[in-house]
Amino acid sequence: MISKEKEILRELARQVAEIAALPVQQETINLWKALNGLKPIRGMVMIDQIPWHEMDVNDELKLRTEDGFCRRIETQLRRKLYLWKHMRADMVIEPFINISKSIRNTGFGIGVIEERAVTDPRNSVVGHRYIDQIQTEEDIMKIEMPDVSLNEDATKQSEEIAHEIFDGILEVRMQGAFPSFAPWDRIVQWRGTDNMLLDMFDRPDFIHKIISRLTDAYISMLDQLETQGLLGFGQNTIHCTGAFSEELPAPNFDPQSPRAIDIWTCGMAQIFSTVSPAMHKEFEIDYATRWFGRFGLGYYGCCEPLDEKINIIRELPNVRKISMSPWVDLEKGAERISNEFVFSRKPNPAFLAWDTWRPEAVEDDIRETLETCNSYGCPVEFILKDISTVRYEPQRLWEWCDIAMKVVKNGV
């Protein structure tokens, strides 16, 4: 590492450290703890999964380093500073930097064979057509139990470089894995949507054998991460939402050997949007129970509408937040969630992609959700994510943030 690159990163780190020292960080942490404890002071707001290729203004995101390791860290720091400046919402900046441990994982044995449809070559959001690789019971054995281990040399090297850069400015935190449970996302990539959904009706035993083996593989991966002390700790987010909680970590926590019970997990079955509650329970919830039972707290759902499925989600242990995507019936979701879970609202990112930016429509949408949740006593958060485009007008996203924060702070 040359001294110039080191100084670039140290200067960015100094800016982060100054922000992390502000009293507002602890104030926001307390707000998240209240919400996650189901005793909210107000609704909370986060923005994530951003089209960063459309965001740069005045070269704020332009990278100045050349080394690959340094560029990854620089990207992390510049994006954090950008968010804080333009659309901080209820983000929290803490006085440390996470450096990922180098964890080897052989995976589940099957890759993805697909055709892609690309509209904007700069955008990572593309269309997919997956090729079916599990057509027979013999094919199920292609799903392998993963082998997990720590690459000690690579981890040590990353840690040494990070200390060289950040000592005296930010604490270096060597971070492990925060695993989630989304087996159906993988099965769809291995089989395609139509094949998978039709087989749930035509060949249910076949589908059960697939999800059973893959669940075993997930549990094997978790066992290895936990046994080897390779889980992470001290999350500040879980699935794009604030993760601060008075309930975690669990008693007898050891930062050198975190357990699943010390952290959050998340799970989802996005392809089950059109699957009945009974089939959702049979093919997903009954298997996800094994996973969620291991963790301290859980977040369930993503883009799939879950307003008709709250009763089956209740059967998952330790769930605290339930995703309420743009396609739910707000009234039904709020009535069924009540004060038992956090109503994790995903506002529609399409507002940001229209030909004409309409801030009044954004405010009406957020206000409707807040009023509905208030009427049923629902703890609520607004998590804007899956943002494919802002039409190369980042100011739309900045204004969305200002509008959302104004509404939640006013309370109506």
Side-chain angles (χ1 to χ4, degrees), residues 82-150:
Y82 183 99
L83 287 168
W84 183 260
K85 178 179 179 180
H86 296 295
M87 43 185 174
R88 71 183 64 167
D90 285 311
M91 72 180 294
V92 173
I93 292 183
E94 298 180 282
F96 57 79
I97 184 161
N98 283 317
I99 303 296
S100 296
K101 295 178 179 179
S102 182
I103 300 174
R104 298 188 184 101
N105 188 333
T106 59
F108 299 120
I110 306 179
V112 176
I113 302 175
E114 64 174 340
E115 299 173 1
R116 292 190 172 195
V118 179
T119 53
D120 181 349
R122 297 184 62 195
N123 197 333
S124 61
V125 179
V126 299
H128 305 267
R129 177 179 175 271
Y130 299 111
I131 308 303
D132 190 358
Q133 301 178 69
I134 307 179
Q135 301 180 28
T136 68
E137 293 200 6
E138 289 75 18
D139 289 337
I140 296 174
M141 298 310 294
K142 294 177 181 178
I143 301 173
E144 299 176 354
M145 301 299 114
D147 183 54
V148 177
S149 61
L150 177 67

Side-chain angles (χ1 to χ4, degrees), residues 243-397:
F244 299 98
S245 170
E246 296 285 4
E247 299 164 61
L248 298 178
N252 302 315
F253 165 68
D254 178 1
Q256 299 303 314
S257 186
R259 305 156 300 178
I261 199 173
D262 295 316
I263 62 176
W264 289 78
T265 192
C266 62
M268 64 202 75
Q270 297 182 89
I271 202 64
F272 279 25
S273 295
T274 56
V275 170
S276 71
M279 292 183 76
H280 194 128
K281 178 183 182 307
E282 177 184 353
F283 291 99
E284 156 70 358
I285 300 298
D286 288 351
Y287 292 92
T289 297
R290 294 178 59 195
W291 181 269
F292 276 83
R294 297 277 295 272
F295 289 83
L297 291 171
Y299 182 111
Y300 190 78
C302 192
C303 294
E304 68 274 35
L306 296 172
D307 51 306
E308 300 280 0
K309 299 178 178 180
I310 304 303
N311 284 339
I312 64 170
I313 296 171
R314 281 193 180 93
E315 299 185 24
L316 284 175
N318 306 318
V319 168
R320 183 57 53 86
K321 301 188 182 191
I322 299 178
S323 175
M324 291 283 105
S325 76
W327 299 279
V328 302
D329 182 308
L330 284 175
E331 195 83 19
K332 288 181 180 178
E335 180 182 14
R336 292 163 182 173
I337 284 178
S338 185
N339 61 356
E340 295 182 63
F341 307 97
V342 175
F343 187 109
S344 188
R345 177 61 166 168
K346 308 289 179 56
N348 197 331
F351 286 119
L352 298 156
W354 288 344
D355 291 338
T356 302
W357 169 235
R358 293 170 51 196
E360 69 282 357
V362 168
E363 182 166 353
D364 290 345
D365 177 68
I366 296 172
R367 193 178 300 279
E368 179 188 12
T369 297
L370 187 60
E371 290 175 348
T372 303
C373 287
N374 287 345
S375 68
Y376 289 98
C378 284
V380 62
E381 62 185 15
F382 295 87
I383 311 300
L384 183 63
K385 61 189 290 290
D386 298 307
I387 309 163
S388 299
T389 181
V390 294
R391 294 297 187 91
Y392 287 88
E393 296 177 16
Q395 293 80 6
R396 293 186 179 193
L397 200 47

Side-chain angles (χ1 to χ4, degrees), residues 69-85:
F69 180 82
C70 292
R71 287 174 73 85
R72 288 191 294 274
I73 295 178
E74 184 184 3
T75 297
Q76 176 186 339
L77 294 173
R78 288 196 183 278
R79 288 181 178 181
K80 184 175 293 188
L81 292 169
Y82 183 99
L83 287 168
W84 183 260
K85 178 179 179 180

